[in-house]
Amino acid sequence: MAGGIPAQTPPAPVVSPEVHADRSVTFRLRAPNNKEVSVSIEGVPKPIAMQKDDQGVWSVTTDPMAPDYYGYSFVADGVNMFDPSNHAVKPNFLYRASEVHVPGAASASWEVAAVPHGEIHHHFYKSGVVGDDRGYYVYTPPGYDPRGKQAYPVLYLLHGFSDDASAWTAVGRANVILDNLIAQSKAKPMLVVMPLGYGAPEVLVPNSGVFRDRSLTDRNFDKFREAFDY
């Protein structure tokens, strides 16, 4: 207490998301002044309405969910927003979202296991075709020696539309899957190159009309092929 003004107890931190043993998930958002809040979850057709308690915290618990990584966002009075209590973000040029992991069995191919792990390398270069500076990722398998003479097969792995070059590792868990498959002798050790798949970056401008403008789509594909072969 200072100057006759009682000190206020700060509100308890909000835990969100909270994944339960039955694979249901509780989402929470402190928003005492909002009138309506819901959570939009990847793969769920409609946003799920949330309820507010007397502390101004909105919450909802889902039904049990299939093991996976899900993107989600809150919709607070019509405005989409990240979960401020969650550091995990699903990267994307157009549809970034918070991310929640609903774990599966330890034997699931995308779950980190006690096996030798490869490495992910992030490189940058100046594209002489597109004219921008861009990054790409390379997975090298366990035991890879860049100075060695062993030859490895190379897989070029391309992300989907609106994803960035990190999508296959940050979202698709390609490195974890390969670690597990190689350890189980279900895949040969290999190099995986994950480039940025846009020859015309303007397709990423919101409302670019890429799906309506065939010339823009063709330019994107043609320039990407040219950059890939460059």
Side-chain angles (χ1 to χ4, degrees), residues 4 29 78 91 99 116 134-135 139 145 153 168 172 183 192-193 200 229:
L29 175 68
E99 185 178 67
R134 52 181 53 201
Y139 166 83
D145 182 358
W168 269 111
V192 182
V193 180
D229 293 336

Side-chain angles (χ1 to χ4, degrees), residues 2-83:
I5 300 175
Q8 293 184 342
T9 302
V14 171
V15 177
S16 179
E18 182 180 1
V19 181
H20 304 287
D22 66 351
R23 298 201 304 270
S24 63
V25 182
T26 298
F27 298 93
R28 299 182 179 92
L29 175 68
R30 189 186 306 281
N33 297 321
N34 284 96
K35 305 302 182 184
E36 185 176 68
V37 177
S38 60
V39 59
S40 179
I41 307 171
E42 184 178 16
V44 177
K46 295 181 179 179
I48 304 172
M50 302 172 70
Q51 301 297 319
K52 184 170 65 171
D53 65 15
D54 57 6
Q55 300 299 311
V57 175
W58 297 77
S59 67
V60 69
T61 298
T62 69
D63 292 332
M65 300 172 65
D68 208 337
Y69 285 81
Y70 295 87
Y72 72 95
S73 60
F74 292 127
V75 185
D77 290 346
V79 178
N80 281 276
M81 59 181 292
F82 291 111
D83 184 345

Side-chain angles (χ1 to χ4, degrees), residues 75-106:
V75 185
D77 290 346
V79 178
N80 281 276
M81 59 181 292
F82 291 111
D83 184 345
S85 300
N86 183 8
H87 73 279
V89 175
K90 181 178 180 181
N92 192 284
F93 282 114
L94 297 178
Y95 310 110
R96 287 178 295 278
S98 296
E99 185 178 67
V100 59
H101 174 212
V102 178

Side-chain angles (χ1 to χ4, degrees), residues 137-201:
Y137 291 79
V138 178
Y139 166 83
T140 55
Y144 175 77
D145 182 358
R147 295 166 295 184
K149 295 183 179 180
Q150 180 179 350
Y152 291 87
V154 179
L155 171 65
Y156 289 88
L157 197 54
L158 187 61
H159 56 74
F161 177 73
S162 80
D163 284 326
D164 64 19
S166 73
W168 269 111
T169 52
V171 182
R173 313 289 286 176
N175 55 307
V176 176
I177 293 171
L178 281 166
D179 288 345
N180 292 334
L181 293 179
I182 291 170
Q184 298 166 17
S185 298
K186 293 181 179 179
K188 294 182 178 180
M190 67 181 75
L191 307 181
V192 182
V193 180
M194 294 159 277
L196 183 66
Y198 305 101

Side-chain angles (χ1 to χ4, degrees), residues 96-146:
R96 287 178 295 278
S98 296
E99 185 178 67
V100 59
H101 174 212
V102 178
S107 59
S109 62
W110 66 87
E111 300 288 0
V112 176
V115 300
H117 299 295
E119 296 182 0
I120 302 170
H121 309 262
H122 191 190
H123 303 279
F124 298 87
Y125 71 102
K126 175 76 173 183
S127 172
V129 173
V130 182
D132 61 5
D133 294 290
R134 52 181 53 201
Y136 65 98
Y137 291 79
V138 178
Y139 166 83
T140 55
Y144 175 77
D145 182 358

